[in-house]
Amino acid sequence: MLTGGGDCPGLNAVIRAVGRRVMTRGGEVVGILEGWKGLVEGRFVPLGPREISGLLPRGGTILRTTRTNPYKVEGGVQKVLENLQREGFDALVAIGGEDTLGVAARLYAEHDLPVVGVPKTIDNDLSATDYTFGFDTAVNIATEAIDRLHTTAESHNRVMVVEVMGRHTGWIAVVSGIAGGADMILIPEQPVSIEDACKELRHRHERGKDFSIVVVSEGYELEGLNDAGEVDQFGHTRLSERGVGAALAREIESRTGYETRVTVLGHIQRGGSPTPRDRVLATRYGLKAADLAGEGKFGRMAALHGDNIVDVPLADATKELKTVPPDWWAVAQAFFG
Ligand code: F6P
């Protein structure tokens, strides 16, 4: 099994569950180091009962991770296929988000790779599943931060801008914003202009409130702010360096005259122990992935539909992003201004 892309709380819980189920049934489990990179380079570690013990509450991934795309490495796909065959692996469990599972879906379609997927990302933007593991933990961390910022915002009569992760979608911003009582939320899916956001804040302050909380998703398009810097092998720039939160805070202060500060939560949202909900979801996904692999149901991904763990085609999960639907946005909007 391998873990690819940005790490997230619950990866180790999946590794433990896959390992337990496979070993209980008499199989052997091997960890591939650093995502697709390890499969290209042939870097493996055996995973026995000792290696998978104590993993449930542990953040990060014991297998390490990279954003390597074998399709962007010379001879990368060929090496993946050769290494799988040489090691005699019967099945591959790929734990990742849109990029890692996009590669898995393509390798399955083009080379019949015996792969099953597990949906991971704090961004919650994978289709064909209601939730990815890691999201609940990130929302908990962001909500706690918003709660803490409320008290200091109130003491100083300030506007507090909180920048949260979410490369293409506003799931973390909307859900933590609703939970934390944000007065304005800005996300990539809903192009609210800065002027309209400031109008809402002025309206709130005219109603007698002296402070406001604004949650902004790192992927929100702010007029005049361009993507800069390096692009990874999946074509992504580093949004944490784009500084949307800081730019937004400057704009709000200059347009409204309200003193404004910014907090960028960044990778804190991805670190540390998973919530109980994510531990359980990751565990259920891991068992399902091991079952799919055992049954030879390749090209499938474990998914959550309602309260049930089901399996769906990998291709369905990765063909389009799951954006924040209008009814979630409407709940957030009801508390703006
Ligand atoms: O895709 C998950 C994610 O956490 C995004 O929200 C964020 O833009 C990105 O990863 C950050 O990646 P890196 O670890 O490369 O800084």
Side-chain angles (χ1 to χ4, degrees), residues 145-154 158-162 176-177 180-185 201 204-205 211-216 252 335-336:
I146 295 169
D147 286 349
R148 289 177 184 278
L149 289 167
H150 255 106
T151 62
T152 170
E154 189 171 13
R158 281 175 177 159
V159 175
M160 287 289 186
V161 172
V162 193
S176 66
D183 306 301
M184 172 52 60
I185 302 174
L201 296 180
R204 175 176 154 83
H205 289 229
F211 72 95
S212 290
I213 302 287
V214 178
V215 180
V216 61
I252 291 173
F335 297 92
F336 292 171

PDB file of all heavy atoms in Angstrom, residues 145-154 158-162 176-177 180-185 201 204-205 211-216 252 335-336:
ATOM      1  N   ALA A 145      -9.912  27.278  16.246  1.00  0.00           N
ATOM      2  CA  ALA A 145      -9.179  28.533  15.988  1.00  0.00           C
ATOM      3  C   ALA A 145     -10.157  29.713  15.885  1.00  0.00           C
ATOM      4  O   ALA A 145      -9.915  30.787  16.451  1.00  0.00           O
ATOM      5  CB  ALA A 145      -8.358  28.396  14.713  1.00  0.00           C
ATOM      6  N   ILE A 146     -11.262  29.504  15.191  1.00  0.00           N
ATOM      7  CA  ILE A 146     -12.250  30.583  15.037  1.00  0.00           C
ATOM      8  C   ILE A 146     -12.825  30.973  16.411  1.00  0.00           C
ATOM      9  O   ILE A 146     -12.983  32.159  16.731  1.00  0.00           O
ATOM     10  CB  ILE A 146     -13.379  30.164  14.061  1.00  0.00           C
ATOM     11  CG1 ILE A 146     -12.808  29.968  12.651  1.00  0.00           C
ATOM     12  CG2 ILE A 146     -14.507  31.195  14.043  1.00  0.00           C
ATOM     13  CD1 ILE A 146     -13.764  29.294  11.667  1.00  0.00           C
ATOM     14  N   ASP A 147     -13.116  29.959  17.234  1.00  0.00           N
ATOM     15  CA  ASP A 147     -13.625  30.241  18.591  1.00  0.00           C
ATOM     16  C   ASP A 147     -12.630  31.116  19.359  1.00  0.00           C
ATOM     17  O   ASP A 147     -13.004  32.081  20.025  1.00  0.00           O
ATOM     18  CB  ASP A 147     -13.832  28.933  19.372  1.00  0.00           C
ATOM     19  CG  ASP A 147     -15.049  28.153  18.901  1.00  0.00           C
ATOM     20  OD1 ASP A 147     -15.846  28.713  18.122  1.00  0.00           O
ATOM     21  OD2 ASP A 147     -15.190  26.981  19.295  1.00  0.00           O
ATOM     22  N   ARG A 148     -11.371  30.759  19.265  1.00  0.00           N
ATOM     23  CA  ARG A 148     -10.344  31.524  19.995  1.00  0.00           C
ATOM     24  C   ARG A 148     -10.213  32.930  19.432  1.00  0.00           C
ATOM     25  O   ARG A 148     -10.018  33.902  20.181  1.00  0.00           O
ATOM     26  CB  ARG A 148      -8.992  30.800  19.921  1.00  0.00           C
ATOM     27  CG  ARG A 148      -8.958  29.547  20.751  1.00  0.00           C
ATOM     28  CD  ARG A 148      -7.655  28.806  20.618  1.00  0.00           C
ATOM     29  NE  ARG A 148      -7.729  27.565  21.362  1.00  0.00           N
ATOM     30  CZ  ARG A 148      -7.529  27.447  22.672  1.00  0.00           C
ATOM     31  NH1 ARG A 148      -7.187  28.514  23.375  1.00  0.00           N
ATOM     32  NH2 ARG A 148      -7.652  26.301  23.276  1.00  0.00           N
ATOM     33  N   LEU A 149     -10.304  33.050  18.123  1.00  0.00           N
ATOM     34  CA  LEU A 149     -10.165  34.379  17.513  1.00  0.00           C
ATOM     35  C   LEU A 149     -11.341  35.285  17.857  1.00  0.00           C
ATOM     36  O   LEU A 149     -11.193  36.506  17.930  1.00  0.00           O
ATOM     37  CB  LEU A 149     -10.005  34.245  15.990  1.00  0.00           C
ATOM     38  CG  LEU A 149      -8.642  33.660  15.589  1.00  0.00           C
ATOM     39  CD1 LEU A 149      -8.637  33.245  14.125  1.00  0.00           C
ATOM     40  CD2 LEU A 149      -7.515  34.659  15.868  1.00  0.00           C
ATOM     41  N   HIS A 150     -12.506  34.697  18.092  1.00  0.00           N
ATOM     42  CA  HIS A 150     -13.679  35.479  18.497  1.00  0.00           C
ATOM     43  C   HIS A 150     -13.397  36.326  19.733  1.00  0.00           C
ATOM     44  O   HIS A 150     -13.721  37.506  19.776  1.00  0.00           O
ATOM     45  CB  HIS A 150     -14.842  34.530  18.840  1.00  0.00           C
ATOM     46  CG  HIS A 150     -15.894  34.501  17.784  1.00  0.00           C
ATOM     47  ND1 HIS A 150     -16.061  33.447  16.915  1.00  0.00           N
ATOM     48  CD2 HIS A 150     -16.834  35.400  17.448  1.00  0.00           C
ATOM     49  CE1 HIS A 150     -17.053  33.699  16.094  1.00  0.00           C
ATOM     50  NE2 HIS A 150     -17.555  34.876  16.392  1.00  0.00           N
ATOM     51  N   THR A 151     -12.780  35.698  20.751  1.00  0.00           N
ATOM     52  CA  THR A 151     -12.630  36.426  22.014  1.00  0.00           C
ATOM     53  C   THR A 151     -11.631  37.572  21.881  1.00  0.00           C
ATOM     54  O   THR A 151     -11.841  38.659  22.420  1.00  0.00           O
ATOM     55  CB  THR A 151     -12.222  35.484  23.174  1.00  0.00           C
ATOM     56  OG1 THR A 151     -10.952  34.909  22.879  1.00  0.00           O
ATOM     57  CG2 THR A 151     -13.253  34.405  23.402  1.00  0.00           C
ATOM     58  N   THR A 152     -10.566  37.345  21.116  1.00  0.00           N
ATOM     59  CA  THR A 152      -9.594  38.431  20.968  1.00  0.00           C
ATOM     60  C   THR A 152     -10.123  39.504  20.005  1.00  0.00           C
ATOM     61  O   THR A 152      -9.878  40.697  20.190  1.00  0.00           O
ATOM     62  CB  THR A 152      -8.178  37.905  20.603  1.00  0.00           C
ATOM     63  OG1 THR A 152      -7.359  38.999  20.242  1.00  0.00           O
ATOM     64  CG2 THR A 152      -8.170  36.899  19.495  1.00  0.00           C
ATOM     65  N   ALA A 153     -10.897  39.079  18.995  1.00  0.00           N
ATOM     66  CA  ALA A 153     -11.509  40.058  18.070  1.00  0.00           C
ATOM     67  C   ALA A 153     -12.428  40.999  18.847  1.00  0.00           C
ATOM     68  O   ALA A 153     -12.391  42.222  18.681  1.00  0.00           O
ATOM     69  CB  ALA A 153     -12.314  39.331  16.997  1.00  0.00           C
ATOM     70  N   GLU A 154     -13.222  40.416  19.739  1.00  0.00           N
ATOM     71  CA  GLU A 154     -14.195  41.183  20.514  1.00  0.00           C
ATOM     72  C   GLU A 154     -13.496  42.165  21.461  1.00  0.00           C
ATOM     73  O   GLU A 154     -13.889  43.326  21.580  1.00  0.00           O
ATOM     74  CB  GLU A 154     -15.076  40.207  21.295  1.00  0.00           C
ATOM     75  CG  GLU A 154     -16.261  40.870  21.956  1.00  0.00           C
ATOM     76  CD  GLU A 154     -17.236  39.844  22.530  1.00  0.00           C
ATOM     77  OE1 GLU A 154     -16.873  38.657  22.634  1.00  0.00           O
ATOM     78  OE2 GLU A 154     -18.351  40.254  22.874  1.00  0.00           O
ATOM     79  N   ARG A 158     -11.895  44.290  16.539  1.00  0.00           N
ATOM     80  CA  ARG A 158     -11.195  44.078  15.269  1.00  0.00           C
ATOM     81  C   ARG A 158     -11.961  43.157  14.324  1.00  0.00           C
ATOM     82  O   ARG A 158     -12.789  42.361  14.755  1.00  0.00           O
ATOM     83  CB  ARG A 158      -9.841  43.396  15.533  1.00  0.00           C
ATOM     84  CG  ARG A 158      -8.792  44.338  16.021  1.00  0.00           C
ATOM     85  CD  ARG A 158      -7.538  43.572  16.374  1.00  0.00           C
ATOM     86  NE  ARG A 158      -6.486  44.482  16.776  1.00  0.00           N
ATOM     87  CZ  ARG A 158      -5.440  44.148  17.506  1.00  0.00           C
ATOM     88  NH1 ARG A 158      -5.308  42.921  17.953  1.00  0.00           N
ATOM     89  NH2 ARG A 158      -4.523  45.040  17.796  1.00  0.00           N
ATOM     90  N   VAL A 159     -11.576  43.245  13.064  1.00  0.00           N
ATOM     91  CA  VAL A 159     -11.968  42.215  12.101  1.00  0.00           C
ATOM     92  C   VAL A 159     -10.827  41.204  12.077  1.00  0.00           C
ATOM     93  O   VAL A 159      -9.661  41.589  11.987  1.00  0.00           O
ATOM     94  CB  VAL A 159     -12.170  42.805  10.679  1.00  0.00           C
ATOM     95  CG1 VAL A 159     -12.457  41.685   9.674  1.00  0.00           C
ATOM     96  CG2 VAL A 159     -13.305  43.835  10.679  1.00  0.00           C
ATOM     97  N   MET A 160     -11.164  39.924  12.203  1.00  0.00           N
ATOM     98  CA  MET A 160     -10.159  38.866  12.138  1.00  0.00           C
ATOM     99  C   MET A 160     -10.389  38.058  10.872  1.00  0.00           C
ATOM    100  O   MET A 160     -11.472  37.493  10.687  1.00  0.00           O
ATOM    101  CB  MET A 160     -10.303  37.919  13.339  1.00  0.00           C
ATOM    102  CG  MET A 160      -9.839  38.523  14.626  1.00  0.00           C
ATOM    103  SD  MET A 160      -8.030  38.657  14.585  1.00  0.00           S
ATOM    104  CE  MET A 160      -7.747  39.223  16.246  1.00  0.00           C
ATOM    105  N   VAL A 161      -9.377  38.017  10.019  1.00  0.00           N
ATOM    106  CA  VAL A 161      -9.447  37.174   8.828  1.00  0.00           C
ATOM    107  C   VAL A 161      -8.745  35.855   9.152  1.00  0.00           C
ATOM    108  O   VAL A 161      -7.628  35.859   9.658  1.00  0.00           O
ATOM    109  CB  VAL A 161      -8.753  37.863   7.627  1.00  0.00           C
ATOM    110  CG1 VAL A 161      -8.642  36.914   6.438  1.00  0.00           C
ATOM    111  CG2 VAL A 161      -9.510  39.132   7.230  1.00  0.00           C
ATOM    112  N   VAL A 162      -9.416  34.730   8.886  1.00  0.00           N
ATOM    113  CA  VAL A 162      -8.823  33.413   9.119  1.00  0.00           C
ATOM    114  C   VAL A 162      -8.683  32.715   7.770  1.00  0.00           C
ATOM    115  O   VAL A 162      -9.690  32.457   7.105  1.00  0.00           O
ATOM    116  CB  VAL A 162      -9.720  32.523  10.016  1.00  0.00           C
ATOM    117  CG1 VAL A 162      -8.949  31.298  10.490  1.00  0.00           C
ATOM    118  CG2 VAL A 162     -10.283  33.295  11.182  1.00  0.00           C
ATOM    119  N   SER A 176     -16.344  24.923   8.819  1.00  0.00           N
ATOM    120  CA  SER A 176     -15.808  25.497  10.071  1.00  0.00           C
ATOM    121  C   SER A 176     -16.389  26.893  10.285  1.00  0.00           C
ATOM    122  O   SER A 176     -16.598  27.322  11.427  1.00  0.00           O
ATOM    123  CB  SER A 176     -14.275  25.547  10.060  1.00  0.00           C
ATOM    124  OG  SER A 176     -13.813  26.442   9.079  1.00  0.00           O
ATOM    125  N   GLY A 177     -16.676  27.584   9.191  1.00  0.00           N
ATOM    126  CA  GLY A 177     -17.277  28.925   9.309  1.00  0.00           C
ATOM    127  C   GLY A 177     -18.679  28.866   9.907  1.00  0.00           C
ATOM    128  O   GLY A 177     -19.043  29.677  10.760  1.00  0.00           O
ATOM    129  N   GLY A 180     -18.229  27.827  13.549  1.00  0.00           N
ATOM    130  CA  GLY A 180     -17.600  28.855  14.387  1.00  0.00           C
ATOM    131  C   GLY A 180     -18.344  30.192  14.360  1.00  0.00           C
ATOM    132  O   GLY A 180     -17.926  31.138  15.017  1.00  0.00           O
ATOM    133  N   GLY A 181     -19.431  30.277  13.601  1.00  0.00           N
ATOM    134  CA  GLY A 181     -20.220  31.510  13.565  1.00  0.00           C
ATOM    135  C   GLY A 181     -19.522  32.641  12.807  1.00  0.00           C
ATOM    136  O   GLY A 181     -19.520  33.798  13.253  1.00  0.00           O
ATOM    137  N   ALA A 182     -18.962  32.321  11.631  1.00  0.00           N
ATOM    138  CA  ALA A 182     -18.280  33.360  10.839  1.00  0.00           C
ATOM    139  C   ALA A 182     -19.288  34.386  10.317  1.00  0.00           C
ATOM    140  O   ALA A 182     -20.425  34.041   9.991  1.00  0.00           O
ATOM    141  CB  ALA A 182     -17.555  32.709   9.671  1.00  0.00           C
ATOM    142  N   ASP A 183     -18.835  35.635  10.237  1.00  0.00           N
ATOM    143  CA  ASP A 183     -19.718  36.713   9.762  1.00  0.00           C
ATOM    144  C   ASP A 183     -19.611  36.898   8.252  1.00  0.00           C
ATOM    145  O   ASP A 183     -20.437  37.583   7.637  1.00  0.00           O
ATOM    146  CB  ASP A 183     -19.349  38.012  10.482  1.00  0.00           C
ATOM    147  CG  ASP A 183     -19.380  37.805  11.987  1.00  0.00           C
ATOM    148  OD1 ASP A 183     -20.455  37.434  12.497  1.00  0.00           O
ATOM    149  OD2 ASP A 183     -18.325  37.927  12.640  1.00  0.00           O
ATOM    150  N   MET A 184     -18.593  36.314   7.661  1.00  0.00           N
ATOM    151  CA  MET A 184     -18.417  36.320   6.200  1.00  0.00           C
ATOM    152  C   MET A 184     -17.493  35.167   5.848  1.00  0.00           C
ATOM    153  O   MET A 184     -16.534  34.890   6.581  1.00  0.00           O
ATOM    154  CB  MET A 184     -17.797  37.671   5.759  1.00  0.00           C
ATOM    155  CG  MET A 184     -17.377  37.758   4.322  1.00  0.00           C
ATOM    156  SD  MET A 184     -18.630  37.289   3.100  1.00  0.00           S
ATOM    157  CE  MET A 184     -19.935  38.450   3.440  1.00  0.00           C
ATOM    158  N   ILE A 185     -17.812  34.472   4.765  1.00  0.00           N
ATOM    159  CA  ILE A 185     -16.974  33.350   4.308  1.00  0.00           C
ATOM    160  C   ILE A 185     -16.725  33.557   2.816  1.00  0.00           C
ATOM    161  O   ILE A 185     -17.661  33.845   2.063  1.00  0.00           O
ATOM    162  CB  ILE A 185     -17.680  31.989   4.541  1.00  0.00           C
ATOM    163  CG1 ILE A 185     -18.030  31.807   6.027  1.00  0.00           C
ATOM    164  CG2 ILE A 185     -16.802  30.834   4.070  1.00  0.00           C
ATOM    165  CD1 ILE A 185     -18.859  30.564   6.347  1.00  0.00           C
ATOM    166  N   LEU A 201     -19.910  43.598   6.131  1.00  0.00           N
ATOM    167  CA  LEU A 201     -19.233  43.909   7.400  1.00  0.00           C
ATOM    168  C   LEU A 201     -19.699  45.270   7.926  1.00  0.00           C
ATOM    169  O   LEU A 201     -19.977  45.429   9.122  1.00  0.00           O
ATOM    170  CB  LEU A 201     -17.707  43.893   7.226  1.00  0.00           C
ATOM    171  CG  LEU A 201     -17.091  42.538   6.846  1.00  0.00           C
ATOM    172  CD1 LEU A 201     -15.572  42.658   6.692  1.00  0.00           C
ATOM    173  CD2 LEU A 201     -17.417  41.472   7.893  1.00  0.00           C
ATOM    174  N   ARG A 204     -23.069  44.912   9.458  1.00  0.00           N
ATOM    175  CA  ARG A 204     -22.982  44.270  10.780  1.00  0.00           C
ATOM    176  C   ARG A 204     -22.554  45.291  11.835  1.00  0.00           C
ATOM    177  O   ARG A 204     -23.119  45.369  12.921  1.00  0.00           O
ATOM    178  CB  ARG A 204     -21.969  43.120  10.689  1.00  0.00           C
ATOM    179  CG  ARG A 204     -21.680  42.438  11.997  1.00  0.00           C
ATOM    180  CD  ARG A 204     -20.744  41.262  11.779  1.00  0.00           C
ATOM    181  NE  ARG A 204     -19.993  40.984  12.996  1.00  0.00           N
ATOM    182  CZ  ARG A 204     -20.454  40.259  14.004  1.00  0.00           C
ATOM    183  NH1 ARG A 204     -21.655  39.738  13.958  1.00  0.00           N
ATOM    184  NH2 ARG A 204     -19.719  40.078  15.083  1.00  0.00           N
ATOM    185  N   HIS A 205     -21.556  46.107  11.498  1.00  0.00           N
ATOM    186  CA  HIS A 205     -21.054  47.073  12.476  1.00  0.00           C
ATOM    187  C   HIS A 205     -22.073  48.174  12.721  1.00  0.00           C
ATOM    188  O   HIS A 205     -22.195  48.681  13.836  1.00  0.00           O
ATOM    189  CB  HIS A 205     -19.684  47.605  12.029  1.00  0.00           C
ATOM    190  CG  HIS A 205     -18.589  46.572  12.159  1.00  0.00           C
ATOM    191  ND1 HIS A 205     -17.385  46.821  12.772  1.00  0.00           N
ATOM    192  CD2 HIS A 205     -18.544  45.258  11.795  1.00  0.00           C
ATOM    193  CE1 HIS A 205     -16.642  45.701  12.755  1.00  0.00           C
ATOM    194  NE2 HIS A 205     -17.328  44.757  12.160  1.00  0.00           N
ATOM    195  N   PHE A 211     -16.970  43.877  16.140  1.00  0.00           N
ATOM    196  CA  PHE A 211     -15.922  42.973  15.636  1.00  0.00           C
ATOM    197  C   PHE A 211     -16.557  42.024  14.617  1.00  0.00           C
ATOM    198  O   PHE A 211     -17.785  41.859  14.597  1.00  0.00           O
ATOM    199  CB  PHE A 211     -15.321  42.166  16.785  1.00  0.00           C
ATOM    200  CG  PHE A 211     -16.269  41.117  17.314  1.00  0.00           C
ATOM    201  CD1 PHE A 211     -16.196  39.810  16.849  1.00  0.00           C
ATOM    202  CD2 PHE A 211     -17.245  41.437  18.252  1.00  0.00           C
ATOM    203  CE1 PHE A 211     -17.082  38.850  17.313  1.00  0.00           C
ATOM    204  CE2 PHE A 211     -18.124  40.483  18.723  1.00  0.00           C
ATOM    205  CZ  PHE A 211     -18.042  39.181  18.250  1.00  0.00           C
ATOM    206  N   SER A 212     -15.712  41.419  13.798  1.00  0.00           N
ATOM    207  CA  SER A 212     -16.209  40.445  12.815  1.00  0.00           C
ATOM    208  C   SER A 212     -15.168  39.360  12.559  1.00  0.00           C
ATOM    209  O   SER A 212     -13.966  39.611  12.677  1.00  0.00           O
ATOM    210  CB  SER A 212     -16.516  41.131  11.474  1.00  0.00           C
ATOM    211  OG  SER A 212     -17.644  41.958  11.602  1.00  0.00           O
ATOM    212  N   ILE A 213     -15.674  38.190  12.186  1.00  0.00           N
ATOM    213  CA  ILE A 213     -14.793  37.081  11.796  1.00  0.00           C
ATOM    214  C   ILE A 213     -15.045  36.771  10.320  1.00  0.00           C
ATOM    215  O   ILE A 213     -16.180  36.525   9.914  1.00  0.00           O
ATOM    216  CB  ILE A 213     -15.107  35.801  12.615  1.00  0.00           C
ATOM    217  CG1 ILE A 213     -14.956  36.042  14.118  1.00  0.00           C
ATOM    218  CG2 ILE A 213     -14.239  34.637  12.141  1.00  0.00           C
ATOM    219  CD1 ILE A 213     -13.549  36.178  14.635  1.00  0.00           C
ATOM    220  N   VAL A 214     -13.960  36.796   9.540  1.00  0.00           N
ATOM    221  CA  VAL A 214     -14.047  36.482   8.112  1.00  0.00           C
ATOM    222  C   VAL A 214     -13.205  35.233   7.849  1.00  0.00           C
ATOM    223  O   VAL A 214     -12.007  35.222   8.144  1.00  0.00           O
ATOM    224  CB  VAL A 214     -13.495  37.653   7.256  1.00  0.00           C
ATOM    225  CG1 VAL A 214     -13.539  37.304   5.767  1.00  0.00           C
ATOM    226  CG2 VAL A 214     -14.266  38.938   7.544  1.00  0.00           C
ATOM    227  N   VAL A 215     -13.831  34.179   7.322  1.00  0.00           N
ATOM    228  CA  VAL A 215     -13.076  32.974   6.985  1.00  0.00           C
ATOM    229  C   VAL A 215     -12.864  32.961   5.473  1.00  0.00           C
ATOM    230  O   VAL A 215     -13.827  33.101   4.707  1.00  0.00           O
ATOM    231  CB  VAL A 215     -13.827  31.693   7.427  1.00  0.00           C
ATOM    232  CG1 VAL A 215     -13.018  30.446   7.050  1.00  0.00           C
ATOM    233  CG2 VAL A 215     -14.075  31.708   8.931  1.00  0.00           C
ATOM    234  N   VAL A 216     -11.620  32.798   5.048  1.00  0.00           N
ATOM    235  CA  VAL A 216     -11.337  32.771   3.609  1.00  0.00           C
ATOM    236  C   VAL A 216     -10.591  31.490   3.258  1.00  0.00           C
ATOM    237  O   VAL A 216      -9.670  31.068   3.960  1.00  0.00           O
ATOM    238  CB  VAL A 216     -10.549  34.033   3.160  1.00  0.00           C
ATOM    239  CG1 VAL A 216      -9.200  34.149   3.850  1.00  0.00           C
ATOM    240  CG2 VAL A 216     -10.363  34.046   1.642  1.00  0.00           C
ATOM    241  N   ILE A 252      -9.767  44.916   3.408  1.00  0.00           N
ATOM    242  CA  ILE A 252     -10.892  45.186   4.321  1.00  0.00           C
ATOM    243  C   ILE A 252     -10.584  46.426   5.170  1.00  0.00           C
ATOM    244  O   ILE A 252     -11.410  47.322   5.320  1.00  0.00           O
ATOM    245  CB  ILE A 252     -11.188  43.953   5.217  1.00  0.00           C
ATOM    246  CG1 ILE A 252     -11.775  42.821   4.370  1.00  0.00           C
ATOM    247  CG2 ILE A 252     -12.137  44.313   6.353  1.00  0.00           C
ATOM    248  CD1 ILE A 252     -11.961  41.498   5.121  1.00  0.00           C
ATOM    249  N   PHE A 335     -26.001  33.870   7.926  1.00  0.00           N
ATOM    250  CA  PHE A 335     -25.405  34.548   9.084  1.00  0.00           C
ATOM    251  C   PHE A 335     -24.416  35.635   8.698  1.00  0.00           C
ATOM    252  O   PHE A 335     -23.700  36.169   9.542  1.00  0.00           O
ATOM    253  CB  PHE A 335     -24.728  33.501   9.988  1.00  0.00           C
ATOM    254  CG  PHE A 335     -25.720  32.520  10.549  1.00  0.00           C
ATOM    255  CD1 PHE A 335     -25.985  31.339   9.871  1.00  0.00           C
ATOM    256  CD2 PHE A 335     -26.434  32.808  11.704  1.00  0.00           C
ATOM    257  CE1 PHE A 335     -26.936  30.442  10.351  1.00  0.00           C
ATOM    258  CE2 PHE A 335     -27.379  31.922  12.194  1.00  0.00           C
ATOM    259  CZ  PHE A 335     -27.638  30.735  11.517  1.00  0.00           C
ATOM    260  N   PHE A 336     -24.368  35.994   7.407  1.00  0.00           N
ATOM    261  CA  PHE A 336     -23.455  37.057   6.984  1.00  0.00           C
ATOM    262  C   PHE A 336     -24.044  38.431   7.359  1.00  0.00           C
ATOM    263  O   PHE A 336     -25.250  38.618   7.315  1.00  0.00           O
ATOM    264  CB  PHE A 336     -23.239  37.045   5.464  1.00  0.00           C
ATOM    265  CG  PHE A 336     -22.472  35.828   4.964  1.00  0.00           C
ATOM    266  CD1 PHE A 336     -22.354  35.587   3.599  1.00  0.00           C
ATOM    267  CD2 PHE A 336     -21.864  34.944   5.834  1.00  0.00           C
ATOM    268  CE1 PHE A 336     -21.666  34.490   3.122  1.00  0.00           C
ATOM    269  CE2 PHE A 336     -21.162  33.842   5.363  1.00  0.00           C
ATOM    270  CZ  PHE A 336     -21.069  33.610   3.999  1.00  0.00           C
TER     271      PHE A 336
END
